[in-house]
Amino acid sequence: MTVTDPAPDAAAAELQEQFDAVIARHDRVEPRDWMPEKYRATLVRQIAQHAHSEIIGMQPEGNWITRAPSLRRKATLLAKVQDEAGHGLYLYSAAETLGASRGELTEKLISGKQKYSSIFNYPTLSYADVGTIGWLVDGAAICNQVPLCRTSYGPYGRSMIRICKEESFHQRQGYELLMTMMRGTDEQRAMVQESVDRFWWPALMMFGPPDADSPNTAQSMAWGIKRDTNDDLRQKFVDMSVPQAERLGVTLPDPDLRWNAERGAHDFGQPDWDEFMAVVKGGGPCNAERIAHRKRAHDDGAWVREAASAFAAKGA
Amino acid sequence: MPDSQPEDFAADGGHGAVPLDGVPTALGEQPPSGEWPLYEVFVRGKRGLNHVHVGSLHAADDTMAVHHARDVYTRRNEGVSIWVVRADAITASSPDEKDPMFAPAGDKVYRHPTFYDIPDDVPHM
Ligand SMILES: [Fe+2]
Ligand SMILES: [Fe+2]
């Protein structure tokens, strides 16, 4: 599938008009349609970095597969991590409909030219982190991803529908894991609280900086690529998480968190955006390790890819 | 956020905020060398339904494409049958989905049952 080049001036206006009409109707843009170059570039960037996040996102939890405390937990964790690989592949496939090549995307991830979500640069220090990631990190992902099912680019929206169906399992297994630990010993309860203390703020950062600092949001929303602003999604996530934390019996580490009856929503504190910037720029606790691991996996797999190609060439 | 850091970030990646500025999106900077070919995947959800396009994947050959399709697209009983076909073997109607190829159908409203007025009191129609 190829992407059509921008048309000559005469026809360009008509193509732009057709594109605008599709967006105005809340219809979907499909791969073979003409699209403005900036729309295409925005999608490539968004879908590629979303895919990279899924792929790198396997590492923090993958760390605990061999040390899961029971066969049941190990099977669950394996399935969850395998799903994240699947999510990455659905999204790479969507990016390819825009003309990106798989090898190019992988190279841009490994070389650090394209980024992935900052949340995966935090370490998983205890097994409780597996539960907290499912509950809060996948929970935040759900808040981000559900509106994207209606995104204007067809292949991206279809990938998101598949992904959202699977995320619900991710969040529930995490919450159930934490509930089980909360019914355990004082030590286990302390492990859960300590884990929630570490992940709460990075989870809030997942929605991006405040809207006032997000100049591109308006254009992405006008194009129907993005459906909600960073702040709206963050608010929704906080409002959903507070009663879940209460039910679980943990405290969320924010002294400013309280119900605001006037707004019908929770007031809450701001994450440390300087920390966020530092982590995105490579200064997080695990940035170098995550990329090195991905590069190693890619390099170590080279002979397998080559052997399979040679075998296929022999059979052809 | 401090003014010295003008980059925009959004909750782009479903799993969290990623930068929007200074991220390369140009295509074809490196030719895809030695990349496995692209396959389109079609899955029959259950008996009685057509195969439906679900996405694509890379594989070295047809057999591997079927195996990969099972792992990527049917981890939860989403299908009872899989077709894979190399993407470069597909012929599509047109670059623009809305070209004159489908125009002839537009003015043939008489092909639809609603074109014909039947009084409400005629039963079973
Ligand atoms: Fe995911
Ligand atoms: Fe997930």
Side-chain angles (χ1 to χ4, degrees):
Chain A
M1 308 264 156
T2 52
V3 180
T4 47
D5 290 318
D9 287 353
E14 198 194 328
L15 289 171
Q16 179 76 47
E17 230 166 73
Q18 282 179 7
F19 173 85
D20 292 345
V22 167
I23 298 293
R25 283 200 305 271
H26 301 291
D27 213 342
R28 298 294 192 269
V29 177
E30 293 295 344
R32 300 162 70 83
D33 290 339
W34 178 88
M35 60 188 84
E37 175 51 27
K38 275 197 162 158
Y39 175 86
R40 194 200 59 76
T42 300
L43 280 168
V44 168
R45 184 190 62 214
Q46 174 160 342
I47 300 172
Q49 299 196 119
H50 193 162
H52 299 331
S53 301
E54 305 281 357
I55 295 297
I56 296 293
M58 288 191 281
Q59 293 184 35
E61 291 173 284
N63 187 33
W64 285 93
I65 289 174
T66 55
R67 289 173 285 166
S70 68
L71 187 57
R72 177 180 183 270
R73 296 291 173 191
K74 183 182 275 201
T76 298
L77 189 50
L78 263 175
K80 201 251 181 193
V81 171
Q82 191 191 9
D83 274 354
E84 304 300 1
H87 296 177
L89 295 177
Y90 306 155
L91 289 161
Y92 282 135
S93 132
E96 285 177 283
T97 66
L98 292 159
S101 90
R102 185 74 58 99
E104 198 172 355
L105 294 170
T106 303
E107 189 279 325
K108 290 205 165 83
L109 168 63
I110 289 173
S111 64
K113 288 185 196 128
Q114 291 176 342
K115 307 287 190 214
Y116 54 89
S117 169
S118 57
I119 191 87
F120 301 120
N121 289 320
Y122 291 89
T124 43
L125 302 177
S126 87
Y127 177 69
D129 290 354
V130 172
T132 309
I133 287 175
W135 173 38
L136 293 179
V137 176
D138 288 271
I142 291 171
C143 282
N144 279 338
Q145 291 178 149
V146 166
L148 288 177
C149 293
R150 295 178 293 112
T151 195
S152 61
Y153 187 58
Y156 190 29
R158 293 191 284 276
S159 303
M160 292 319 311
I161 290 170
R162 298 185 71 84
I163 288 174
C164 285
K165 278 187 194 158
E166 300 180 353
E167 290 295 357
S168 160
F169 146 64
H170 297 179
Q171 195 187 25
R172 289 173 68 102
Q173 63 83 32
Y175 194 79
E176 187 229 45
L177 189 163
L178 295 179
M179 284 198 100
T180 308
M181 287 186 77
M182 291 302 283
R183 285 195 300 269
T185 63
D186 283 348
E187 225 181 342
Q188 287 173 313
R189 274 186 287 277
M191 268 174 80
V192 173
Q193 183 63 58
E194 188 273 336
S195 173
V196 170
D197 288 346
R198 271 185 293 114
F199 274 96
W200 175 249
W201 292 111
L204 289 195
M205 293 177 198
M206 286 176 66
F207 299 95
D211 295 343
D213 299 317
S214 282
N216 288 325
T217 293
Q219 178 62 78
S220 275
M221 288 183 73
W223 274 331
I225 293 175
K226 199 169 156 64
R227 289 295 187 177
D228 298 276
T229 70
N230 297 355
D231 283 335
D232 284 350
L233 289 166
R234 186 165 22 244
Q235 179 73 57
K236 206 168 149 198
F237 175 71
V238 170
D239 290 336
M240 279 167 48
S241 301
V242 168
Q244 291 170 351
E246 266 165 35
R247 182 70 181 75
L248 194 57
V250 295
T251 311
L252 297 174
D254 178 358
D256 298 327
L257 182 64
R258 64 180 59 85
W259 178 250
N260 181 331
E262 229 167 86
R263 289 201 305 124
H266 292 87
D267 292 338
F268 55 94
Q270 280 293 314
D272 179 351
W273 293 116
D274 291 338
E275 176 188 318
F276 172 81
M277 292 304 298
V279 173
V280 171
K281 285 180 187 302
C286 300
N287 292 61
E289 180 188 332
R290 298 291 185 239
I291 290 295
H293 186 87
R294 179 69 192 90
K295 184 178 178 336
R296 193 163 54 243
H298 187 67
D299 293 347
D300 289 354
W303 73 270
V304 179
R305 293 191 296 276
E306 283 157 22
S309 294
F311 181 78
K314 233 167 93 182
Chain B
M1 227 170 48
D3 290 338
S4 57
Q5 287 154 342
E7 290 105 318
D8 191 7
F9 287 80
D12 261 5
H15 280 252
V18 286
L20 300 181
D21 295 335
V23 175
T25 56
L27 305 174
E29 282 167 9
Q30 309 141 293
S33 64
E35 194 163 280
W36 288 344
L38 187 68
Y39 283 82
E40 298 295 335
V41 181
F42 301 78
V43 170
R44 184 198 295 287
K46 57 180 183 181
R47 290 175 175 278
L49 297 180
N50 289 320
H51 285 77
V52 173
H53 182 243
V54 292
S56 63
L57 49 75
H58 289 270
D61 59 28
D62 298 357
T63 312
M64 185 191 276
V66 172
H67 289 153
H68 282 181
R70 182 200 57 196
D71 292 345
V72 177
Y73 291 105
T74 63
R75 285 193 302 284
R76 288 179 176 76
N77 303 317
E78 288 95 338
V80 295
S81 164
I82 294 171
W83 288 348
V84 294
V85 59
R86 275 184 64 148
D88 58 15
I90 292 177
T91 305
S93 54
S94 71
D96 180 344
E97 304 268 356
K98 250 191 355 234
D99 87 353
M101 180 133 169
F102 303 100
D107 58 1
K108 293 184 177 58
V109 283
Y110 50 85
R111 286 181 171 168
H112 296 275
T114 45
F115 182 71
Y116 303 93
D117 279 331
I118 307 284
D120 286 347
D121 55 0
V122 178
H124 309 305
M125 198 173 281

